Structures are given as structure tokens and as C-alpha cells.
Amino acid sequence: DVIAFFKEDGFTARTPPLAQVRAMLSAAPKEDLNRFEACIPLFAYTEKKDKLVVLGQVSKVDLNRPFFLRRLNRLIRVAGALEIRSASKKIQEILDFSRGERIYFLEETSVVTLCQLLTRSIIEQSREYFKEPGKNVRSLNGYIRGARYIPAKIMIGALTQILLVPTLNPQSRALVIDTLENMDLSTSKKVIAPVLHILDVKDVDEALKLRAGDILCRNGDSSLGTQALDLTNHPTAAGKKVAARLLRALTARGEGPSTDIATNRLYLLIEHADKGVRVEALLALLALGDDYAAQVLHDFVQARDETVVADVIAGLAKPMTREVFTLVLDMLRMDSVRVQTALRGLLSDPDIQKGGFSEELRRQLVSVLSLVPGDRGRGEAAKAVLEAVSTTEESTFDQAKLQYKFRRENTQTLTVFFIDIAGYTEKSTAIDPSALMKLIRAFEEIVTTTITGSRGTVVKKMGDGILAVFKHPLNAVVAALAVQQKIHDYSAMRVEQEKFQARIGLNTGPVIRRDNDIFGEHVNIASRMQNKASSGEVILTEATYSEIRDYVRCTSLGKIEVKGIKDPVMAYTAKEVTVDLSRTAEEGEATMDDKKHHDASLQRLKEAMFVPRFQIPADKGERSALAGELKEVFSELSRLVEDFASDYHQDYDYKKFLQEKWNALVARL
């Protein structure tokens, strides 16, 4: 009715609002009647615009935070900040009043201030609220905020206990972390270890868990060393990140495990699937001065993952070694706003600008500013430094580090090709040995010639099976389909005992290539794909399919269970090549020369089809002999590239470079 009065929407047909309110307040206390009489002037307005102004003002009134209570709230906070202990009794009265009237913001402020004034009664009351954290959240938050003003030895037990309550309000849990960050825990190092258990509490934000870990990094002692090592096996990424930070902090202070043991555990984390874990492990290795960490950082930079590189820059410890600083300067060439922002924050540090690296920083900045647009640069200075990093004799604690170095220095991204004769066991018992040997020779002849003709490499022959690798997945699939067609054509012209069929499995990923053999999980997956294939079928994984789907028609098999692999693998069966590869490659070559029409699909095809041609023009006369010798050198270099290039992208880059150099040399002959 009151709103209707101010809006003039026909309230006059009813009893006027003033009369209604007076009737309702007939038996009200004198104080309420006085308040009402004080409001009567509001009803004296007759103009609609004046009434609407009043309506707007009244609608904004917050009955829970009246003006004078806000002023009182500020005075209480000032009393706490100035430590006016004589005000404790009056503030206690205000606390009792605010609880009775449920003025929660005033209640919380009063609790915090009484904690600041070290009031004994409020400290005793806190135990009741910590025991039942869901009883009164606002008061509980006041006790949590106030705990930072009370000696840590009194409150640390209650705070760590409430932190681990699964049902604790998220805001209250964040306040506990905030309070612990602001407390002096120097006398409580032995009792903060339970904070680690927050890593096992479900539904807690990872950022909060990492903040809890940082509290332990700043205040922990040698008693946390064993727990830090155990955390490297924690099931969550947050646990592993905290482990890396703890090992970094404790070992640097000489309060953790030995550097050798810490380094070994960190190398177990350096290849973790989570980027954040890899970053934390690398930062810890760099901080501990590991001699191989610069090589790992170089890999991170070469991968050009701006998120990872920016996080590494932000977390680098100072002072930096010359190797690390040189790699940081190489990052100046990365075309990423995030990376450049992180570099600005790092390189603006006065210690770097005025320290021993200042002249080197100046020269590198001038060099970067002088770059021609589009010139990516190759970080030659960084490479030179990495080549100069000395290797030291490894201890027995460096097993994980040695394994990482072995994998890093012998890993290539390849497409693994597995093929075997379907039903070989039954066939070997059904025909005589001479016929069987003839069959195997025919099988090997078809497979090996097709593989080498498609730029693949036969790794080994295994009786009825052959293992091969390809740099580009497209070449592998083309070879697989060609092999199946050739086997079909061969068998169509033979008697029954000479006929055979084959199964082929393909998978793409990083594999270890060593001593003319290959190893790794991706090799095993390719073998499992071959076992899942039917006679005459080619099965490939998602990793291979994503590279060839523009050129080969495939049928999805869905996710299939694979022995020895935890998660099901998405698989496809290859049917046929859908384009004229030679013609499309030529079109791709023309298109790729125009950056405006850059097409990632054509780029993949171009890389798959590219073969350097070291041709000698017929008009070179007496210089033909020299050209012939150069051709042998370039051809050998091209073969060597296949051995050391880590993947087909790098293989293409190197061979394209050789082709350009050859063309330039021939032009000058």
C-alpha cells in the first residue's frame, strides 16, 4: 500500500496507508511509534515527481547496514589497529548486541578486534566456533581472521584442524590459508606438517592447495623432507607441484634431502603429462643448479609453448646462471604477448639491468630490434652455450636423470608400422617348409620394397612379421594400403597354398630409436593395433588419423580396449587414398609460396611428399665433375638428416635447407 501511494496507482480505493500503519501499531512499543511519526513527513508530498524521488531513496535503504552502524564498525576497527585495550569491554558489549540483533558484519568486526586486543574471553570462545564450524559462519570467519593477531602456538592447531574439515565453507577455508600466510610461524615449524593433508581433501581449488604448499615451503624444516619425496608420487597434479616446490625450497636451505636424491625425484616429474608439473620440476632443477637443466629449458623454449615458457620465466630464481640467462635472451625472439610480458617483468629487475649481464642484455636487445620482420632467428647463442655445458660423472642417485637424458637424446616422433601374415601358425602346419619359405620371401619382397619406396625404414624382420617406421604418417598409410593391394593381387594369381593375407597396425608418437631398434609405449600400441586388425585390414590410431584424414578415407571403429594400455584407444580402419597425391602436392607447393593462402593441410602434404633433388644441369661442362662430388655430399647429408631429425617437420626443414643451398651452389658453378 505504501508503494502504491508513492506510485499513485489507485490506492485511494482502500484505507489510506497512514491509517493502516497506525492501526497496526496501536499496541506497539513507544519507540516504534516514535519512529513511525518521524516518517510521516514523507507522506506530505503531493507532486508525483517528488513521490518518485522518495520511493527511489527508500528502496535503496539497507536495513541490515544503517549508516550509524557502519560508522561504529569503522570505530571498532580503528580501536583494534591502535590497540586501545581500554575499549575491550565496550566492544564486547557491541559484540553481544550485534549477535542478538543478527548484525553479522558488526559481529565479525568485533570478533577480529577483540582478537587484536588479545582478549582472553574471545580466545576461549573461539574453541566453541572452531569445534562447530557450521554453526555461525560469520563469527567463525571473524575468529579465523583474528587468529593472525594471536600467538601462533595458541591457534595453529585449531586452524590446521578446521582447514581439513571436508564440509568447511569455501570462503572460510580460503580465510584460513590467508591467515596462515600472514602469521609468524617461525616457532611452529614442527606442527604445520598437517597442512599437507589439504592435498587429499576433495573439492578444494588447486590454487588454494598450492598456496598451502607455499606456506610449508616458507616455514617448513627438515621434518618435511621425507613427505616431500613421498609427494612426488601423489595421484594429483597439485600434489606433484607442491612436491617440486618443497624439494626446491628445503634443499636450497639445506634442510631437505640431498641434492642428488631431490634431483632424481624431479627428473621423474619432468615428463609428466601436466604442463604445470613439468614447469615446477624444471624450475626446481634450475634453482638447485643441475648441470643438465639448461638442456631441458632449451627443449621447453624450442617447443614454443607460450604458456609453459611464460610460467618458467615468471618462476625463475635469481641470480641466474649464464647458461639460463642466455636462453632467456633467446626467448626475446618469441612472437608471444604473454612471453614478452613475462620477460618485461624479469628483465626490468634492477639486479639484472645493473649486474654482470647488463652489457649482454643490451647487445641482445639491439640485435632483436634489428631483426627483419619475419626472420625467426635460431638462437645461435643459446645453442653455443648448450654445447659448452659440460657433463659430469653421474652418481647412483642419478638414474632418473640418466633415463631422461637417454630418452631426450634418442627420441623421434615416428609412425610405427607393424605387419604380419594373418593365420600364420595354421598355415605353417598345413604346407611343407619349402612352400612356407617361398611364401615368406614373397611377403618380405612385397612389404620391404613398398616401405622403402614410400620413404619408410624397415627396422627388423620377425619371421612372419615386419616392423618399420615412417617420418610422415601419410607415407605410412599410403604404404600400408599399397601393401594390402599388392598382396591381394599376388594371391589372386596363386594356388591356395601360396595365397596369404596380412594385418597392419599403425600408430604415431615419440619412440626411442637406438641400436637399429625402437622402443616405447607407442611401439606397443602399434603392435596392439595390428593384433586387432582382420585379414587384409589396416588399423590406425587417432594420432595417425589426425594427420592423414584429409587424404585418406577412413572408417571409425570407436574406442577399443588395448591390452597393457589403461584407457581405450580411438581406432580407425583405412580404406583408400582419396586424392591424387602428386597433383595435390604440386598445388600445395604453389599455394604454400603465397602466405596469404596458408593451409595447414597442404603444408602436411608438402612435407610428406618433399624429396630433395640434387640435379646437375647438362651445360656445366668441365665443372660437372665438381658438381658430381657435391651431389654425393648433399645426398649423404640428406640421408643423415633422417637419422637425427626428431620428427617429419624438422626432417622437412633440414632437407628444404639442403635443397636451397644446392640450388644456390649450382647457380654459381
Side-chain angles (χ1 to χ4, degrees), residues 415-419 447 451 466-470 476 479-480 483 504-506 526:
T415 296
V416 183
F417 178 114
F418 259 109
I419 182 172
V447 175
I451 287 173
I466 291 177
L467 170 61
V469 291
F470 291 79
V483 164
I504 300 177
L506 303 175

Side-chain angles (χ1 to χ4, degrees), residues 616 621-633 662 669:
I616 305 174
E622 62 184 17
R623 294 180 180 270
S624 295
L626 174 59
E629 294 180 9
L630 287 173
K631 180 177 180 179
E632 291 183 11
V633 173
W662 170 263
L669 282 177

Side-chain angles (χ1 to χ4, degrees), residues 101-223:
E101 295 295 322
R102 298 184 180 180
I103 308 173
Y104 299 118
F105 75 93
L106 193 62
E107 177 182 0
E108 185 174 348
T109 300
S110 299
V111 170
V112 173
T113 298
L114 289 171
C115 289
Q116 281 182 284
L117 300 178
L118 298 177
T119 307
R120 182 181 296 275
S121 60
I122 206 71
I123 297 174
E124 293 174 352
Q125 289 175 18
S126 68
R127 296 168 185 167
E128 175 186 347
Y129 287 89
F130 283 135
K131 188 180 297 183
E132 299 181 72
K135 182 178 179 181
N136 185 333
V137 174
R138 296 302 292 267
S139 258
L140 174 67
N141 289 347
Y143 286 111
I144 294 173
R145 290 181 191 275
R148 70 189 65 184
Y149 304 110
I150 300 172
K153 62 181 180 181
I154 298 176
M155 302 301 296
I156 189 67
L159 287 172
T160 54
Q161 184 177 0
I162 194 174
L163 178 66
L164 306 177
V165 175
T167 58
L168 186 64
N169 180 282
Q171 182 189 13
S172 300
R173 199 187 309 277
L175 280 175
V176 174
I177 295 296
D178 189 60
T179 294
L180 290 172
E181 288 174 333
N182 287 277
M183 292 179 76
D184 179 8
L185 300 175
S186 58
T187 59
S188 306
K189 292 180 179 292
K190 301 292 184 183
V191 294
I192 61 173
V195 172
L196 272 180
H197 295 305
I198 193 176
L199 295 170
D200 301 316
V201 179
K202 294 182 179 180
D203 301 324
V204 176
D205 183 70
E206 181 179 284
L208 206 63
K209 292 182 177 181
L210 294 179
R211 286 174 62 190
D214 289 340
I215 292 170
L216 294 166
C217 290
R218 288 192 297 272
N219 301 286
D221 59 11
S222 56
S223 62

Side-chain angles (χ1 to χ4, degrees), residues 504-521:
I504 300 177
L506 303 175
N507 180 43
T508 302
V511 300
I512 298 172
R513 199 169 184 177
R514 187 78 167 181
D515 297 330
N516 299 319
D517 204 350
I518 57 174
F519 312 92
E521 180 184 30

Side-chain angles (χ1 to χ4, degrees), residues 3-29:
I3 292 174
F5 168 80
F6 285 114
K7 287 187 174 180
E8 295 184 348
D9 62 352
F11 74 96
T12 52
R14 299 187 296 276
T15 304
L18 289 181
Q20 291 184 51
V21 176
R22 279 200 174 96
M24 294 170 64
L25 293 176
S26 59

Side-chain angles (χ1 to χ4, degrees), residues 524-554:
N524 297 333
I525 293 175
S527 176
R528 300 292 185 264
M529 291 298 103
Q530 174 232 290
N531 292 334
K532 291 287 184 179
S534 302
S535 299
E537 191 175 33
V538 177
I539 290 186
L540 48 135
T541 61
E542 177 76 27
T544 306
Y545 172 74
S546 63
E547 295 279 354
I548 57 90
R549 60 189 176 190
D550 295 323
Y551 312 109
V552 181
R553 181 171 64 85
C554 299

Side-chain angles (χ1 to χ4, degrees), residues 82-101:
L82 298 179
E83 298 183 358
I84 305 175
R85 301 190 187 282
S86 58
S88 297
K89 185 176 180 180
K90 181 58 67 176
I91 295 173
Q92 182 65 56
E93 293 177 6
I94 296 171
L95 173 60
D96 296 337
F97 162 77
S98 59
R99 281 176 174 164
E101 295 295 322

